Amino acid sequence: MSGLLPDEQELTRAAMAGDQKAFGLLVARHQASIRALGRRLSRSVSDGDDIAQAALLNAWRRRSTWRGGSFRGWVCMIAYREFLAGRKAARSETELEDHPGASGESGERLDLMRAISALDESERAAIALCIGAGLSHADAALAMQAPLGSVKSWVLRGRAKLQKALAAYERA
Amino acid sequence: MSEPPPELPDEPGADALERFFAAEEAAIADDGFSKRIVEKARDEISWRRRIVYGAGMAGFGVALASIIDMAPHLPKLTGWVDGLSTELRQAEQGALDPLLLIAAAVVAGVSFMLFAILSQER
């Protein structure tokens, strides 16, 4: 993938070659976005952090399977699979009040959080992966094991719903 | 139901969503999360090393034992290997077929190697 800073590429290469220090730096750099993705997918802080932890540890274990590209994008794809695996084991209930920063949240963010929670699961996942985690539609399709056209459509529909929520807040 | 407002503002684009997501991420502090991940990764390394080295040593042991048993069929390089082999053969009274031992050693070696590789990768 293009657009990576050289030090990010070097760090990723070193980490994937087994350098723990480089891996630690990458984790520190990307932990927030990976945890945010986990929280958006699971709609829960604790479940989201568990997903992020499992994804990062799996990335470390399976570092020999890394085939280049962004570390964050790769871990986000693993995180999505972790989410799917965890969901099969036990369906977690919506915990809106457990969502990141819920206490003292601004009205805009609360409205959007509700709007995100209200999205269809595929739409929410596509939005979280493409807009939240910055994955390309193709990478998101790969992670979701869904046709590219479906992912594009989920992103469009989900975005439209969220834009409506945002517009409603701005009108208020 | 209330009527829509007469003038709708420009619909916020993806930028607004991206800003929202960025703000949400910025609110997530690294409260020891990274440290815990790195520690767990380090623990896994030492656990895997033990397995891999253990499997390697076991494979080495099997290979060494097979070489000793195969000694009569190999060029006589050293007297002590031959002596040891003779003692082993005397102990076992030729109960095992050398070809069977070689096959078992190969199977064991390959199994240990595969196990070691899988342990390392997973």
Side-chain angles (χ1 to χ4, degrees), chain A residues 114-166:
Chain A
R114 286 198 187 98
I116 289 170
S117 291
L119 292 176
D120 291 346
E121 195 169 289
S122 302
E123 291 169 357
R124 192 171 60 250
I127 287 284
L129 288 169
C130 294
I131 300 182
L135 260 65
S136 67
H137 288 138
D139 283 345
L142 194 66
M144 296 177 76
Q145 295 183 323
L148 181 60
S150 301
V151 171
K152 284 181 179 174
S153 160
W154 290 328
V155 170
L156 274 176
R157 281 209 305 263
R159 179 183 283 175
K161 288 178 187 173
L162 294 179
Q163 282 170 341
K164 248 185 207 170
L166 209 58

Side-chain angles (χ1 to χ4, degrees), chain B residues 13 21 23 28 33 37 40 82 93 95 98 100 107:
Chain B
F21 284 139
I28 299 175
F33 179 86
I37 296 290
K40 281 180 189 252
D82 194 32
Q93 292 294 316
L100 191 66
V107 169

